Amino acid sequence: MTFGWNREILNHVHIPPAYFTRQIRLRLMGFAGAAGILLALSLTIRGADGADGGKPPAQTSADPKAIEVFENRIRPILAERCFECHAAEKQKGNLRLDSREAVLQGGDSGPAVVSGKPDESLLVQVVGYAFDIKMPPKSKLPEREIADLTQWVKMGIPWPNDTSKGESAGTRGDKSKTDEITPEQRAFWAFQPPAEPAEPVVRQVEWAKSPLDRFILDRLERAGLAPAPAAGKRTLIRRATFDLTGLPPTVAEVDAFLADDSPDAFAKVIDRLLSSSRYGERWGRHWLDVARYADSNGFDENLAYASAWRYRDYVIDAFNKDKPFDRFVAEQIAGDLLPAEPGRPFDGLIATGFLCLGGKMLAEDDPVKMQMDIVDEQVDTIGRAFLGLTLGCARCHAHKFDPISIDDYYSLAGIFKSTHTMDTFTVVARWHERPVASADAIRSRDEHQIKIEAKKGELNHATETANQRLLRDARAHAGDYFLAAVAELQWTDYLKTARPIGSDPAAIRDRNAIIIEAENFARGNVLQVTTGYGEGIGVLVNKGELPNFTEYDVPIEETGAYQVEVRYAAAEARPIKLIINGDLVRSDAAGRVTGSWNPDTQTWEIVAHCLLKAGQNLVRLECGGPFSHIDKLLLAVGRNAAGQPLTTVSPATDGYRLKPEFVSRWVELLDQSGRDAPVLIAIWRSYRQTGKLPAAETFPLASRLTGIEPLSEQGLASRLAGLLTEAERTWQELQSAPETAQAERLADPALESLRGLLYNPQGPFKTPKSADSYYAADDLASLTHLRGEVNELQGSLPMVPEAMAVDEGKIEDLRVHLRGSHLTLGESVPRRFPAIFAGDRQPLDAARSGRRELAAWLVRPDHPLTSRVIVNRVWLWHFGEGLVRSPDNFGRLGERPTHPELLDWLALRFVEQGWSLKTLHRLIMLSATYQMSTTSNDTAAQTDPENRLWWRANRRRLEAEALRDGILAVCSELDPSAGGSMLPTPNRQYVTSTVSKGLATLDDSRRRSVYLPVVRSALYEMFQAFDFADPSVLNGRRDTTTVAPQALFMMNSQLVAQATRKLAQKLLQTQAADDAIASDMARVQSIYECVYSRPPTTDDTSRALQFIEQYGNAQIARQTPSDEARVRAWQALCRAVLSTNEFLYLE
Amino acid sequence: MRTRGCNEFDLVLNRRDWLKQSAAGFGSLALAGLLGAEAATGAAESGAPNPLAARPPHFAPRARRVIFLFMHGGPSQVDTFDYKPLLERDDGKPLPFSKPRVFSAQTGNLLKSPFKFQQYGQSGAWVSELFPHVAECVDEMCIINGMHGSNSRHGGALLELHTGSDTFVRPSMGSWITYGLGTENQDLPGFITVCPTLSHGGVNAYSSAFLPAVYAATALGNSGVSSDQAKIPYIANADETPRDMQRLELDLIRQINQDSLATTGPDSTLESRINAFELAFRLQTTAPALQDLSREPESMHKLYGLDNPATANFGRQCLMARRFAEQGVRFVQVTHSYKWDQHENLKADHSRNALEVDQPIAALLKDLQARGLLDDTLVLWGGEFGRTPVAQGDNGRDHNPQGYTMWLAGGGVKGGLVYGKTDDYGYYAVENKVHLHDLHATILHLLGLDHTRLTYRYAGRNFRLTDVHGEIVHDMIAKTAVFKA
């Protein structure tokens, strides 16, 4: 073992943060000293465990070291390797290993362990695989685990008294679980409801504008520090405007504030900003960081969350309306179950999008794991977003630092297991969406849907009728089809040896062949090229109209079977359709690659064998794309190898045209080998192979074939064809006679075998997939009409908007998942809230998920965390740091509040004032604390470098959105339109592949950044560079890094280039004074006031003017026309001013 | 795999503490410059550290940097490096043991490899005909035939390979390594990924997650972009402003910034931002120059296959990786985009894929060796999982995280070693199994980092690349130290 047990223990004891920040001192104390403290600490905690008097001590030593060893090394082995067969579920060999007693008692083979004696312990022997019994049976444990178990047995199998961790199902006593929480844990500050603090008495009374300030000042005075001087009015309005709206103040707004001497001038500014709809866009975005908002799933299958924007707009609207925060929280957890607010019927539903927006592994192969991962994401997000608790830590084991047990976790998880978030868990899984429209609209959509279905039914019926007619007509010509197939096969045989005759002048003469120059078409849409391809070669070249086609009128002297040849050259395959007298004869004629487009590869090919009638025949060539280089066509009477004319099938006497698809199916059938072939085929093949008919005893059908004299292939074919037709005719007669209409078969077994073939749904008369070209004209017309109606109805289907939202699901309690795995389940736990808050007697309605109750519990006025957590977030978003500097973790490993009383005071005021965020903003922003300047002073900087006591305002960098929006705003380029979706991708479609296409680019769009789509795994580069919140995880506090790509964005991006050019052009359009110099000075002033909210100093102005001159001259020296040089110089100035720290940082 | 508590701590100062100790808390990471040498200079007075400054490892390292050749889709072990004669013999027969509980598609009977295997080098390692060039380097490679992971889907498996978690968004191994060691060239990013895939989690494979953003990869292009178009975002000026013009602008910015510093008083953040502009200005020249492969001699172009359309794209990526490694970039990933997912067309598509990467990879190994860089550059090759020895359809294989091959080369690994085994057919890792967590632990170890000590506190607990798992595979590490740190 590389690590000793002691070391292992040290790794698992909790170091309180206070120690953590004093690590250097710890190091000075030396390793041993620190370990001593920690050990003592762990003893205290474990000592409290031992105070449980419900059971006799199971072992002499409750040595915390040993227990730690058990929990961290042994229990996992038992749970993962043994419990499947030896715990509550199963007791193979009557052995259980889930309690110390059970281990000592053993099973059929005796005690599993002799305490302290590994050599005599069965357990050690079986895991060593040195014994007949080998455990675990599937594979030997890793050496380390065997060593651990051996060591554990040697130590006397220490096992904690506390057996209620979930693993030891069934052994749990009836003691209340709340007893497991130690008094220390119970007393932790975050679990106490906020208490009304006494307002501190301070010396600098006049500085404090409100009680808030007294809490701050009190600490400063006690630390011997003084608050920084108040910020100037320009700084203040700039700070407040960016704070509340994410935009810079306009010059007019600054001027108005400067001109307002009234005592409530700043209050008026705050009110104005709070009532602007820009406020919601700014603060809504803060909340979206917490809600890990995104417009796509990210993760494995990055599908578009195309309705996510409704949640975003809901959040923005909630902030603008100052929706009470308790309602806001409740709606996000259970909005679908709450009575709607008047006039806002869908807010609640849309708000539950909060639960759905997380990134998911939609392609997880294990559906149970997928569901539990999604539930986990919900529980973890709710824990950190609203409670500031890392509940997710308890998925695998009791929370190591906070009093959250694994039971607590799965009791909460049960609430979300009982919530319908997903429609499916199969790859790729489908998340749930719900309509957000009036009942009328949904009804009208549903009714319309019913109409569509009805019309589709009508269409299906009509199609079925047309198909029946098609098949009936085809069966009536079964014999013709059979003959056609026979002829086709003969043709195929012929082709195996046949050679084209096109290049054989003797054969042409002999056969009296007709040769047609391809370019001499009667009708067509291609170019005729007769030069450049060799003498006598003219080819067909695409003119741009597709499909290419040519038609030839060919007079024929004598009806008969003809072979058709084509001469062509092709460097790529371009098969053509050959259509003769309206019948498609071949669909892939002349489709070979001859080698090139050039004449030297011109090649003759036999493309078809078909019946041509005496008189005019219409030959048509057609190709979906451009033609090959076709030079000539040839038609000649077909001859077989023996020089005999080939047979072909005469058209049906009633004018019926054979359908190629049925012909092909008959061909396939005739070509089919094997024992499963239908009788007819068997006979046919037998004759073809042996020249004889099979015995009549073998096939009844054969008896009907006698008397064909002389027996020939053609004769047999005709006879079989006749029998097919007869079978169908007999069947039709039988069906049409009332007394025999119910008959299920023909009496004559020979005919019945043929009828069976004709009516086999997978047989030669299988309904074609696309039969349009086969339908009778009237059938086709009515089908076309009906299809039109269906399309029209579908096109006019009213769209009902949908939102990502949850629903109640199948209500069920969850079993504890040992080590977080759904493969090792413990005991079922009832749905409830964490015991530390609510005890364990909290029956939830068996008929409901419990979300509504959870929401109500979270927003109880005396809830110790909900109000504190949000008040802290608001403070952080105003000041750059929270009163608790770990905004998402109020647990033991989080930071302690720097000003606990102030936090409580704010939380209490917040609840008292109806959970109004706008009231909270006023409270904070009207304080002297908020209005301090960033002015540093050496003493304070030495004493409190992190400004934990708030001796000055923090200098803050603009976030990505405020920077981008600010640049657009000062350049008058910002598009103020609000709301809606900018994601072009349809819902549930992949977005990653279209990142560079379709999506609005950050550089092109002029909308506020909050409305740009947030595509997980494809964030805008500028957002990434400026620390935009990673939308895959909850973010209570953004980083503010300073990296070179930020500079690259300012220097090189199209957005900054275009916006500053616009600004430069605008500046140059106005002539402020007659004097050119005065005009330029006015322009500089204008830039400074727009960008910095202050006028330039004399130095600023002269430096700017000097820059304009120098830059302009340099441009002119590069041959830039002077007007353009001027624009570029001013553009460069604007870009430089925008790139400075004074713009990027808020004082 | 050893299981440990997920809350574990170190009393020894970890990386984060090192950062924390020397500055005013977490916020001071803001002082960072991505390319922060000068940021550090500017911040020296206030004692703020540069988060990318090269830092000593926990102990003497065997490797100083990593090049990860990622084969997205999942190359088949039994068709590349894991020779299975019994699979050939029993082609078409049913698998004689059970398939995994969770799988991605229905599969049929055993399917032999359509590729011939042969032994190479002194070590006699088996390599299929897919990798004739790489095969020449087997004596430098440690072929890990007993790899296994936990997830049978691209998304989860890809995330697990890159971050150790198949479920949650966690820092990428490149981010952890850069966080642990900083980078050696302050004019370049410490972690570069060339043409990363955007699908199956995309950026999550190279994001810093909760680590400070300075440790995220700088992506050059993406898998949809040809490697000669792979650039640092905003590296080129939208209006093609000439350099000297831009210099004028930067001088003005600097003057205005210096002015406001005079008003605000010393502020290291503001100062480091001034420097960031200078660095960015230089980067505009250095980065494209580093990516300009025309500076490489003709012989290099030939070696990496830049003269062949089939190998040019990946060859450029490999050559860029060598140039970055040479310049001290800590972690370079090059991705052969989502091509190795042969549910069908195994023979044709694996042949094409291997053709595209074989020569460039061999070139990279030989080139690194010739420059003496292979000694302290760890090269890692592999996909997010392997493939089943049983057939999907008649000419394909399904995903298989149960047992597959990755290989390491250079950077202190034992060359000519074939480590671990799968069963007779190549389905499950059975001997000397190496889980992804173990691989991560070993990679960190080679870099001189103790995977249990490289931690970062987030959301209430200390996180690490290997979570609560990870065993260093000492048997894969060469006995003699190649260099002294």
Side-chain angles (χ1 to χ4, degrees), chain A residues 382 502 1041:
Chain A
I382 288 173
T1041 56

Side-chain angles (χ1 to χ4, degrees), chain A residues 299 363 365-366 893 955 1040 1042, chain B residues 30 32 101 152-153 201 267 284 460:
Chain A
F299 285 62
D365 277 322
D366 189 334
L893 282 196
R955 179 170 294 123
T1040 49
T1042 303
Chain B
R101 188 182 63 83
S152 54
R153 280 283 171 180
D267 182 321
Q284 288 182 131

Side-chain angles (χ1 to χ4, degrees), chain A residues 630-790:
Chain A
I630 301 170
D631 175 42
K632 291 179 180 28
L633 285 76
L634 176 148
L635 298 106
V637 176
R639 298 257 173 83
N640 65 14
Q644 303 297 313
L646 289 169
T647 55
T648 187
V649 186
S650 309
T653 46
D654 57 0
Y656 178 81
R657 279 190 173 167
L658 298 187
K659 315 300 181 210
E661 179 156 336
F662 294 139
V663 177
S664 326
R665 292 189 67 82
W666 275 100
V667 169
E668 276 172 38
L669 201 63
L670 284 184
D671 222 15
Q672 186 183 321
S673 58
R675 279 162 297 176
D676 301 335
V679 171
L680 174 78
I681 309 304
I683 292 173
W684 173 255
R685 288 182 67 82
S686 168
Y687 175 74
R688 292 258 287 169
Q689 280 163 12
T690 64
K692 287 182 202 147
L693 292 175
E697 305 84 65
T698 327
F699 298 114
L701 185 60
S703 64
R704 304 290 297 266
L705 299 170
T706 49
I708 307 172
E709 289 302 338
L711 189 60
S712 71
E713 190 168 316
Q714 210 56 43
L716 179 61
S718 306
R719 182 68 182 135
L720 287 170
L723 284 171
L724 280 166
T725 309
E726 185 188 340
E728 169 65 6
R729 196 184 55 237
T730 316
W731 177 246
Q732 288 304 333
E733 283 164 8
L734 197 69
Q735 293 285 295
S736 54
E739 62 275 20
T740 54
Q742 300 304 316
E744 285 176 2
R745 56 171 55 81
L746 291 173
D748 180 338
L751 289 186
E752 172 57 21
S753 73
L754 296 179
R755 192 203 64 83
L757 179 63
L758 301 183
Y759 281 85
N760 181 344
Q762 297 305 319
F765 292 122
K766 184 183 168 182
T767 312
K769 274 205 188 86
S770 165
D772 272 14
S773 54
Y774 298 164
Y775 290 136
D778 53 340
D779 278 352
L780 185 60
S782 78
L783 287 177
T784 309
H785 178 71
L786 280 168
R787 286 173 192 160
E789 286 186 315
V790 169

Side-chain angles (χ1 to χ4, degrees), chain A residues 1095-1108:
Chain A
T1097 63
T1098 327
D1099 283 353
D1100 291 334
T1101 309
S1102 61
R1103 184 169 49 208
L1105 293 181
Q1106 198 188 335
F1107 173 82
I1108 292 290

Side-chain angles (χ1 to χ4, degrees), chain A residues 48-49 52 162 164 172-186 403-405 407-408 832-842:
Chain A
D49 271 354
D52 167 25
D162 167 14
S164 64
R172 172 185 295 165
D174 56 359
K175 82 187 160 69
S176 162
K177 278 191 294 296
T178 53
D179 290 348
E180 295 168 25
I181 300 167
T182 67
E184 286 91 336
Q185 286 178 321
R186 228 170 245 303
I404 304 293
S405 67
D407 288 9
D408 282 335
R832 58 166 178 76
F833 319 130
I836 178 73
F837 300 103
D840 62 353
R841 304 245 181 279
Q842 321 159 48

Side-chain angles (χ1 to χ4, degrees), chain A residues 566 568-577 586-595 597 603-607 622-623 627-628 630:
Chain A
V566 169
Y568 68 103
E572 63 179 64
R574 290 177 177 179
I576 52 176
K577 283 182 184 166
R586 272 285 290 279
S587 59
D588 57 349
R592 288 186 305 135
V593 174
T594 65
W597 303 117
T603 308
W604 281 103
E605 180 181 317
I606 304 175
V607 296
E622 195 181 299
C623 183
F627 273 137
S628 300
I630 301 170

